[in-house]
Each structure stands twice: as C-alpha cells, then as structure tokens.
Amino acid sequence: MNGNEVVRVIDKVSEGRGITTLRFELDRTVRPGQFFMVWVPGVDEVPMSASYIGKLKGITVREVGEATKALSSVKVGEMIGIRGPYGRGFMQPAGRYLVVGGGTGIAAVLPAIEMSKDRSIVDVALGARTSSELIFEERARKASDHVMVSTDDGSKGHHGTVVSLVDEMLSKRSYSQLIACGPEKMLFYLLEVCKKHGVESQMSLERFMKCGSGLCGSCVIDGRRVCADGPVFLGREIDEMKEFGRSKRDEAGRSVPL
Amino acid sequence: MKGLRTVLAGVTLGNPTMLASGMMGETGASLAKAAMSGAGAVVTKSVGLEPREGYKNPTLYEADGYYINAMGLPNPGIRLFKEEMREAVSSGVPVFGSVFASSIKDFVTVASNMEEIGASAIELNLSCPHAKGYGMEMGIDPEMVHDIVREVKGSLKVPVFAKLTPNTHSLIEVGQAVERAGGDGVVAINTVKAIAISVEFRRPVLSNIYGGLSGPAVKPIGLRSVYDLYDNIDIPIIGVGGIDDWRDAMEYIMAGAKAVQIGSAIGKKGMTVFSEITSGMLRYMEHNDVREISDLVGVAHERK
Ligand SMILES: Cc1cc2nc3c(=O)[nH]c(=O)nc-3n(C[C@H](O)[C@H](O)[C@H](O)COP(=O)(O)OP(=O)(O)OC[C@H]3O[C@@H](n4cnc5c(N)ncnc54)[C@H](O)[C@@H]3O)c2cc1C
Ligand SMILES: Cc1cc2nc3c(=O)[nH]c(=O)nc-3n(C[C@H](O)[C@H](O)[C@H](O)COP(=O)(O)O)c2cc1C
Ligand code: FES
C-alpha cells in the first residue's frame, strides 16, 4: 500500500542556493528513481523524487514557485503528507555504468549511484549552472571512485554543460549503460550523445502530475504515463517519443512547447 | 475472439471491455494505446466547451481498495480536442466521446462537435459528483436528464448514452427518463460522492473537499445499480465500477451489462488489464460451453 500518509520532518539540510533536503521516516520500500507526491496542506501537492531511500527517506527541493517555497519553509518537527513511492525506478545495469545528474536532477540519481555495491563500477557526472547549485558532490564521492563535475559558468570543474562533459567521458571509457535525470533539454542532447557512442540509457522524465498514480493521464507523453510507466524510460523508448524535447501538456491537457 | 463481439445500439465492439472516461483519455495517443492494448472501445475524458485546468492538488486520495478523486474535469476544450480525436479514431476501435456542460444548449453544442470530429457514440456525463453546476447536480433530476437526452439525441446521428450517478435514491427513475427521451443506452456508475480527512492535519485532504470514490470498494454498488436497471429498462446497459479482473467483469455481464468499462484498475495494472479480462472471459466461456458473450448478459436474473 502506498497511499496517503503524514510524516514528521526530522532533519533539514540546506544543500545550496534555494535547495533544501527534508528527511523523514517512512516504512516503505523505495527504489532509486521513484518519487513521492508531497502535500503541503492549504498549498499544493507536488511530485518530488526520493533523494534518500534508506530507513530515513528524503526529498530535495528546489524553490521555483509556491509549493516548493512552502516545502522549503517547513521546519523540523512539522508535518508533510506523502503518497507513494510511485513509478518505475532505475534498474541496476550489468557492468560499468555512468550516472549523470543535471541541476536538481542530481537528487533523483544519487540513490542510483549508491545502489552499486562496487564503487569502482559506477562513474558519475554532475552538472549545474553554477557551483552554488552543484549538490551532493561529496555524497557522490563516497559511493564512486570517479566523479566529474561541470558548471555552465566555469565556477567549478569542467567549464560547459554536463552533456559536453559526458561526451568526453564516453570517448575515454566504455560503459554498459548511462543513467540520467535533469532538465528535458539536457536529456535531449544527452540522448544524442548516447546514440553517437552507442550507449543504452535510462532517463527520468518530468511531466505535470496530478494523480501521480497512473489514472488521470495528465502526465502522458506519446500515450505513456510518466508517473506509472516511467518516470524512468529506456533511451530507445524515449527516442521514439515525438513529444520528447519538444512539447508537454499543461494543466488542461493542452499541448504546449517545452 | 468472435464470441466476445458485442453490439451497443448499432456500434460493434470486438469485445465488451472499454476504457472508462477520465482514465488517460485527454490525449489521442493514450486513447489509441488503450485500443492497441485490447480495449473493445474507448471513452474520452469528459470534454466541455472551454478548456479547464481542473482543481488544485491534492486531487487524489489513495488507500487499499479504493481511490477518491476530485480532478475537477480538466480538459483542453472541444475545439482543441479535434487533434486528439484524429489519433484516437485512427486506432480503429469505436471512440465514445464523453461530454459535459452546464446547460442543455451547451450539451448540444459539445456533443455535435464531438460527433463531427469522429465519435462513434456520445456519452453524456450526467454524473460527476464533484463539479459545481455540472454532472451529478443535473443527473439526479429525472426531468432534467430527460430534457438533456432528448435535445442531444434530436441533434445527432450517432447513438447517445447517459452516464448515471449512484448518488441518488431515484437511479431507476433517471434510467427510465433516459429511455423515455430516446436515449440509446445507459452507463452505470460514475463515482460515489465521498470525502477523506487527515487526522494529523484535522482537515479534508482533497483541495475540493469532496471527491468521487472508485475502485474495488464501489463494485457492489455498481453491480446493484446495473442489476436494478436491467429489471426496469430495455436499452443497453454498460457496467462500470471497481472492475479489476475478468471475474468482476463477468459479474457485471451476468447482472445485465452488455459491456463493461474499466477505470481505476488501469492505475495498478496499466493497459494490460484489457487483454487479461478478455482472455479470462474466453476461458470461462470455453469451459462452460458458452458460444456468445451475449448469452450471459443478465443471466443472474433467471435465478432470483
Ligand atoms: C517525477 C518528478 C520528480 C520531481 N522531483 C523533483 C525533485 O526531486 N526536486 C525538485 O525540486 N523538483 C522536482 N520535481 C519538480 C517539481 O515537482 C516542481 O518544481 C514543483 O511541482 C513546482 O511547484 P511550485 O508550486 O513550486 O511551482 P509552480 O510555480 O507551480 O510551477 C513551476 C513549474 O514547476 C512545474 N510544476 C508545477 N506543478 C507541477 C506538478 N504538479 N507536477 C509536475 N511539475 C509541476 C511546472 O513546470 C511549472 O511550470 C519533480 C517533478 C516530477 C514530475
Ligand atoms: C481519476 C478519475 C477521473 C475520472 N474522470 C471522469 C470523467 O472525466 N468523466 C466521467 O464520466 N467519469 C470519470 N471518472 C469515473 C470513471 O469513469 C468510472 O465511472 C469510475 O471511476 C468507476 O469505475 P472504476 O471503479 O473502474 O474506476 C473518473 C474516475 C477517476 C478515478
Ligand atoms: S499524473 Fe495522473 S496519470 Fe500520471
């Protein structure tokens, strides 16, 4: 059962500019890449990836609007509503894999780095616009021997997008698979890079979610539900999606440019 | 699959399973996907005259055995729905266009637009339990239902079905009003008006407070509704409510439904639920030497 529950926030960490992690206890099994519907009473309920999946669960929120602002203001000891976990998560690839996180997408892929029992077979590329938005670098280093970072403004690591960093990494080393989460435009170009190097990928997509539970269809992309059939899809599945990188649906189900 | 063929007011379905309104029915691609996955027909999300964003989240409460939803009829509006219908219709199975409106005039407008853009039949949403001024607020009044069905029927060529609400003591009267007005069939049931409260927050969970109960918990109510209607009207009945597997579907058919719609089960089972149900039905028919599914419609009434 993954229905509605209320949990108490027992820890709160500021990760970077406008980015906050909330931790809480929830006795449910969560796989890397799955998400919760998180309720702030009187405000909204929004999808949030699980950034911690052990006994102590966690979400990492980037402030962009009303709901995320309210979530960032929740204090230790206060309560939030949780539904889930929902969706198909990341699967552990056989052999060496590369985990790529862009922006707040890093929160969603961190558990995919930690799911490897062998830190030498998981490499990591993390990218953000600027160093203050680069999150979980230390946490990634604890789980992987090979962590590279990039910033668009060059304030830390590789100067440029994480896509160009990954392009270099794929030229140097061979991987059985790539796991990624980040803005759709980033994923769009990342998929091109994967195809160029002949690497299969698993990517986590984002769409407007209402039910989160596979019923309403507000999150569909090319007829598939991001909340229930995804959010993780294989690169070859995404490659066939006409709407990927181009359009999404608004609250009324109208197609709008991405 | 010949034995599963069913005919609803002249519309032929390859098998009696249909995608219920509101389940992924906002987009053409998802309707087509349900068709490809084995649904005998699909019903669109209820579409209105203008685009609607629906209610703010939370719009869904989930528990073991049931859901309560108050989506608030989000839809892109009938004008933008043309593109979606093109894709849905190209799937080859009949597409029932579900429509809602707050006046008879608007019902006629949206329904005729739905017909123009390719619907094989119209399903009138006279039963949504949580939209102010719509759905159930009209659908509990037999006279109102009669007038809506008559006017819509009078302006269309395709068959018109009315989707009924269980939130009334006069379900039979409403069903009879549909028949009297020339309606081609009824769909029973829509969700049951319900509420969920958070003990911790001491407030209702859904932003709209009220929502509609669906899933396994409503099956006995849906079955009773179909059973009662079968005894009191002669137009085809489509059964909906809590159907999870072939056995549930068969119960509805034996209660008197010529077809069944599947909603909430899509949440957990996805689109494979259609082929799962049809193959279960076929197996049952084989074991019991039943040639046509129509031979089973309403059989439970013979053993009163
Ligand atoms: C599967 C999934 C996992 C996510 N994981 C995270 C995460 O780990 N951390 C994080 O910070 N953000 C995550 N998001 C994005 C997050 O849900 C939105 O940023 C948030 O809903 C914005 O709400 P708001 O009220 O603050 O902003 P608003 O001002 O309401 O909206 C800002 C933008 O956020 C998006 N958005 C708003 N509501 C929703 C909704 N119900 N569903 C999807 N998108 C919405 C829209 O694109 C909108 O344009 C995730 C989204 C999805 C779909
Ligand atoms: C999320 C959701 C959205 C729905 N939207 C509509 C709708 O737009 N129009 C309608 O007539 N019924 C709608 N319904 C009702 C279903 O079509 C169906 O009648 C009801 O859920 C009972 O069937 P079930 O138990 O199989 O879900 C909706 C139900 C759910 C759960
Ligand atoms: S959010 Fe409702 S189906 Fe995905």
Side-chain angles (χ1 to χ4, degrees):
Chain A
M1 149 87 178
N2 45 12
N4 298 58
E5 190 163 325
V6 171
V7 298
R8 200 171 286 282
V9 171
I10 59 177
D11 190 26
K12 182 175 175 178
V13 184
S14 175
E15 307 284 0
R17 204 171 58 195
I19 307 172
T20 311
T21 295
L22 302 176
R23 307 288 304 271
F24 48 87
E25 276 187 50
L26 179 74
D27 188 18
R28 294 180 187 179
T29 307
V30 181
R31 275 177 284 118
Q34 287 190 303
F35 69 94
F36 298 113
M37 292 300 291
V38 183
W39 178 39
V40 188
V43 183
D44 204 348
E45 186 194 45
V46 292
M48 285 287 148
S49 301
S51 58
Y52 289 90
I53 62 173
K55 187 164 181 295
L56 200 55
K57 309 285 189 289
I59 53 169
T60 300
V61 184
R62 179 205 188 88
E63 235 183 270
V64 293
E66 203 193 352
T68 46
K69 192 173 163 108
L71 264 177
S72 311
S73 324
V74 170
K75 297 187 190 68
V76 170
E78 291 181 345
M79 296 177 293
I80 50 174
I82 295 278
R83 287 196 282 133
Y86 290 120
R88 180 168 78 160
F90 295 112
M91 269 153 340
Q92 167 105 46
R96 184 190 315 283
Y97 62 104
L98 175 61
V99 176
V100 185
T104 340
I106 297 172
V109 295
L110 232 293
I113 305 171
E114 292 168 345
M115 75 181 164
S116 172
K117 283 186 195 71
D118 179 355
R119 48 181 291 139
S120 72
I121 63 156
V122 48
D123 288 6
V124 181
L126 306 179
R129 284 179 298 193
T130 178
S131 62
S132 61
E133 291 175 8
L134 199 59
I135 56 173
F136 293 139
E137 187 186 339
E138 280 320 301
R139 199 177 144 201
R141 291 196 190 281
K142 284 203 186 92
S144 160
D145 286 339
H146 193 63
V147 177
M148 302 288 284
V149 302
S150 72
T151 48
D152 295 357
D153 66 359
S155 51
K156 192 166 189 188
H158 171 90
H159 186 174
T161 68
V162 72
V163 177
S164 59
L165 171 65
V166 169
D167 195 5
E168 275 177 29
M169 291 175 84
L170 293 181
S171 319
K172 287 188 186 136
R173 203 167 194 181
S174 69
Y175 297 95
S176 64
Q177 239 184 51
L178 178 144
I179 282 178
C181 181
E184 192 154 316
K185 286 284 175 203
M186 165 200 135
L187 298 179
F188 184 84
Y189 293 110
L190 199 59
L191 185 61
E192 293 304 308
V193 166
C194 287
K195 285 197 287 188
K196 173 176 139 193
H197 293 275
V199 181
E200 178 57 289
S201 57
Q202 304 176 36
M203 296 185 174
S204 178
L205 303 186
E206 258 189 54
R207 279 295 180 270
F208 199 90
M209 290 185 182
K210 289 186 175 169
C211 77
S213 189
L215 294 172
C216 71
S218 68
C219 66
V220 294
I221 173 165
D222 285 85
R224 303 191 68 181
R225 301 165 300 177
V226 171
C227 72
D229 304 322
V232 176
F233 292 99
L234 293 177
R236 75 175 108 93
E237 295 173 314
I238 295 173
D239 201 28
E240 288 172 359
M241 295 176 176
K242 294 189 287 289
E243 297 172 35
F244 175 68
R246 294 188 185 87
S247 62
K248 60 179 185 178
R249 302 275 172 174
D250 69 6
E251 290 94 317
R254 287 171 290 210
S255 180
V256 292
L258 194 71
Chain B
M1 292 249 266
K2 194 155 163 283
L4 287 180
R5 222 167 51 124
T6 185
V7 183
L8 297 169
V11 181
T12 303
L13 278 59
N15 74 70
T17 65
M18 303 171 65
L19 176 73
S21 180
M23 255 37 65
M24 291 181 71
E26 254 169 58
T27 63
S30 54
L31 289 163
K33 184 146 177 84
M36 261 150 36
S37 309
V42 294
V43 188
T44 69
K45 172 78 192 166
S46 294
V47 177
L49 204 49
E50 300 297 334
R52 259 173 83 102
E53 297 192 342
Y55 299 133
K56 216 176 160 110
N57 269 359
T59 48
L60 184 80
Y61 180 89
E62 178 173 354
D64 272 343
Y66 68 91
Y67 296 102
I68 305 176
N69 91 83
M71 306 307 303
L73 295 171
N75 79 95
I78 190 68
R79 274 181 291 277
L80 285 178
F81 209 63
K82 189 172 177 179
E83 273 307 293
E84 312 298 341
M85 279 298 272
R86 207 168 41 82
E87 198 166 356
V89 168
S90 71
S91 70
V93 312
V95 179
F96 285 53
S98 173
V99 302
F100 74 95
S102 57
S103 69
I104 296 181
K105 183 170 148 282
D106 289 354
F107 259 114
V108 170
T109 307
V110 185
S112 16
N113 281 325
M114 244 326 168
E115 176 178 38
E116 269 164 40
I117 62 179
S120 299
I122 297 298
E123 187 178 288
L124 301 172
N125 181 349
L126 299 172
S127 41
C128 182
H130 50 69
K132 283 171 201 68
Y134 296 107
M136 172 186 140
E137 288 188 11
M138 310 171 105
I140 53 175
D141 175 357
E143 284 320 303
M144 182 60 128
V145 167
H146 175 272
D147 294 351
I148 296 170
V149 172
R150 194 192 49 201
E151 291 303 312
V152 173
K153 182 66 193 165
S155 26
L156 301 186
K157 285 190 215 60
V158 296
V160 175
F161 291 77
K163 186 165 177 186
L164 308 184
T165 175
N167 303 299
T168 168
H169 61 276
S170 38
L171 174 80
I172 292 168
E173 285 83 344
V174 174
Q176 288 168 335
V178 174
E179 184 166 36
R180 234 178 333 114
D184 296 282
V186 296
V187 183
I189 56 174
N190 207 313
T191 54
V192 182
K193 193 170 181 177
I195 186 170
I197 288 178
S198 163
V199 171
E200 287 81 2
F201 290 119
R202 304 183 182 189
R203 63 183 292 151
V205 176
L206 299 175
S207 75
N208 184 56
I209 304 176
Y210 295 99
L213 183 70
S214 68
V218 306
K219 192 183 84 177
I221 302 172
L223 270 176
R224 184 266 297 163
S225 305
V226 169
Y227 194 89
D228 278 355
L229 286 164
Y230 187 80
D231 279 336
N232 290 284
I233 57 175
D234 292 320
I235 49 179
I237 303 163
I238 302 173
V240 207
I243 298 174
D244 236 9
D245 57 25
W246 72 266
R247 200 173 262 286
D248 297 332
M250 202 56 104
E251 283 188 60
Y252 269 96
I253 285 169
M254 293 184 177
K258 288 188 85 172
V260 293
Q261 296 182 355
I262 318 238
S264 300
I266 307 279
K268 282 184 190 79
K269 298 194 171 173
M271 296 293 190
T272 51
V273 69
F274 296 107
S275 55
E276 202 184 296
I277 289 180
T278 47
S279 54
M281 282 180 166
L282 278 177
R283 249 180 289 123
Y284 176 88
M285 286 161 63
E286 241 163 63
H287 284 165
N288 294 281
D289 224 6
V290 179
R291 265 221 204 109
E292 311 266 344
I293 190 81
S294 55
D295 294 341
L296 293 171
V297 174
V299 291
H301 292 259
E302 292 158 18
R303 303 274 165 87
K304 278 194 253 200

